[in-house]
Amino acid sequence: MTDRPLTLMAVHAHPDDEATGTGGVLARYAAEGIRTVLVTCTDGGCGDGPGGVKPGDPGHDPAAVASMRREELKASCDVLKISDLEMLDYPDSGMTGWPSNDAPGSFWQTPVEEGAARLAELMRHYRPDVVVTYDENGFYGHPDHIQAHRITMAALEMTTLTPKVYWTTMPRSGMQRFGEIMREFHPDMPEPDPAEAAAMAEIGLPDDEITTWVDTTAFSGQKFDALAAHASQGENIFFLKMGKERFGELMGMETYVRVKDATGAAVPENDLFAGLR
C-alpha cells in the first residue's frame, strides 16, 4: 500500500473545455478525496475578447484574451475543487481552417514529441491512476483537441505508467436530445445542410459502445458554475442559456470510452476508478 492519493489527470485543449466535458467527474472525484489534476494545453488566445470581439477583428488582442482566460480558468478550477492546474501555454490554434492553424509555435504546429515530452514529465510527477482526454478526432475535429489527444497518447508511451485511460464521448441518444433542446431554444435555427448533418451524426458513439457512464448529477450545479466562470466566452457556451435545472437534466451523466486498463474491471462501468479502490 502507498500513501499516494488516487489521482485523476484530465488533459484538455483550452480554458473552459475542462468544464464542458469533464466538469462533473472533476467535481465528483474531488469531493471523494481523489486528487484531480487538470492540464490545459493552450492559452485560449483565439477566444472572444472583451465585448465579444472576434479573432482577426480590430481590437482583438490574443495576449490580453489569454491573460483574461487564465484568470477565468483559475476561477473554474476553484469551483470544481481541482487540486492542481498545469498550463502548457501553447498559442491557441483556432478553429479548423483559421489562419492561426498555421502560425509558427501554435499548438497545432508543435511537434507531437515536444508536447508529449512536457506532458510525460507531468505524468511522472503526478503519477495519475486515471487519464482522460479526447479521441483521435478530438471529439468534433478541432485541431487543438486532436493535438491534445496525440500528445497524451504519446506521453503515455514515453512513461512506464499504466493508468486507466479514457476518451470523452457522447451517446448518440444524447446527441439527438441535445439537438432537440437547441431547436427548443432557437426555433428559428435553420436546418443544417446534408453534409453538416452527416458530420454531426458521426459525433459520439452508439450507446452500446460506451464503456463508462458516470452519474455526476449531484455535481451538475458546480459544472454549470464552472462554465459560467468563463464569462468572456459566454456567447459561445450554449449550455449557459438553458439554466441550471435543464442543464442538469442534459449534462448530469458523463460518458467515456475506456481504451487502456490493467485492472480487469468489468464494463460497462459507472466509475472511472473501478478496480482501483
Side-chain angles (χ1 to χ4, degrees), residues 35-75:
R35 179 169 61 178
T36 51
V37 180
L38 170 63
V39 180
T40 301
C41 296
T42 78
D43 61 9
C46 287
D48 288 357
V53 63
K54 305 298 181 184
D57 288 349
H60 187 278
D61 179 353
V65 171
S67 178
M68 174 177 62
R69 297 193 72 184
R70 174 186 289 271
E71 295 308 308
E72 292 177 338
L73 178 59
K74 291 177 181 176

Side-chain angles (χ1 to χ4, degrees), residues 162-182:
T162 56
K164 298 178 78 177
V165 180
Y166 294 87
W167 296 341
T168 58
T169 191
M170 190 81 160
R172 295 269 166 82
S173 60
M175 290 298 297
Q176 181 178 352
R177 177 67 178 139
F178 177 61
E180 293 168 356
I181 290 176
M182 284 196 70

Side-chain angles (χ1 to χ4, degrees), residues 67-243:
S67 178
M68 174 177 62
R69 297 193 72 184
R70 174 186 289 271
E71 295 308 308
E72 292 177 338
L73 178 59
K74 291 177 181 176
S76 172
C77 289
D78 287 344
V79 170
L80 298 173
K81 310 299 183 187
I82 289 171
S83 309
D84 299 273
L85 169 64
E86 299 283 355
M87 297 192 69
L88 300 185
D89 263 340
Y90 288 107
D92 190 341
S93 310
M95 300 294 285
T96 302
W98 287 12
S100 48
N101 294 175
D102 301 320
S106 69
F107 190 41
W108 185 238
Q109 292 298 319
T110 297
V112 169
E113 296 76 11
E114 177 190 320
R118 294 181 63 194
L119 182 55
E121 282 303 304
L122 293 175
M123 289 179 174
R124 294 185 189 105
H125 174 71
Y126 288 106
R127 302 189 66 81
D129 301 281
V130 172
V131 173
V132 176
T133 191
Y134 316 101
D135 63 17
E136 60 266 72
N137 190 46
F139 185 61
Y140 69 98
H142 192 297
D144 286 331
H145 289 226
I146 294 171
Q147 189 76 330
H149 162 86
R150 289 174 176 171
I151 73 163
T152 301
M153 302 312 290
L156 287 162
E157 291 294 323
M158 292 177 177
T159 72
T160 58
L161 305 174
T162 56
K164 298 178 78 177
V165 180
Y166 294 87
W167 296 341
T168 58
T169 191
M170 190 81 160
R172 295 269 166 82
S173 60
M175 290 298 297
Q176 181 178 352
R177 177 67 178 139
F178 177 61
E180 293 168 356
I181 290 176
M182 284 196 70
R183 285 188 288 274
E184 175 186 330
F185 279 84
H186 300 285
D188 56 346
M189 186 173 67
E191 289 294 323
D193 62 53
E196 184 180 344
M200 286 293 293
E202 292 301 312
I203 293 177
L205 289 173
D207 292 30
D208 61 0
E209 293 183 20
I210 292 173
T211 63
T212 311
W213 303 71
V214 184
D215 185 353
T216 61
T217 305
F219 302 93
S220 60
Q222 276 177 264
K223 183 173 177 174
F224 184 93
D225 290 343
L227 272 174
H230 296 280
S232 68
Q233 309 306 306
E235 181 182 326
N236 303 318
I237 303 176
F238 164 77
F239 302 107
L240 296 176
K241 297 178 173 65
M242 63 179 67

Side-chain angles (χ1 to χ4, degrees), residues 29 82 188 260 276:
Y29 290 124
I82 289 171
D188 56 346
K260 288 184 180 293
L276 292 169

Side-chain angles (χ1 to χ4, degrees), residues 24-25 28 214-224 244-245 247-254:
V25 294
R28 171 180 162 169
V214 184
D215 185 353
T216 61
T217 305
F219 302 93
S220 60
Q222 276 177 264
K223 183 173 177 174
F224 184 93
K244 276 190 178 181
E245 183 175 349
F247 179 84
E249 294 172 5
L250 181 66
M251 304 292 286
M253 182 73 71
E254 292 187 351

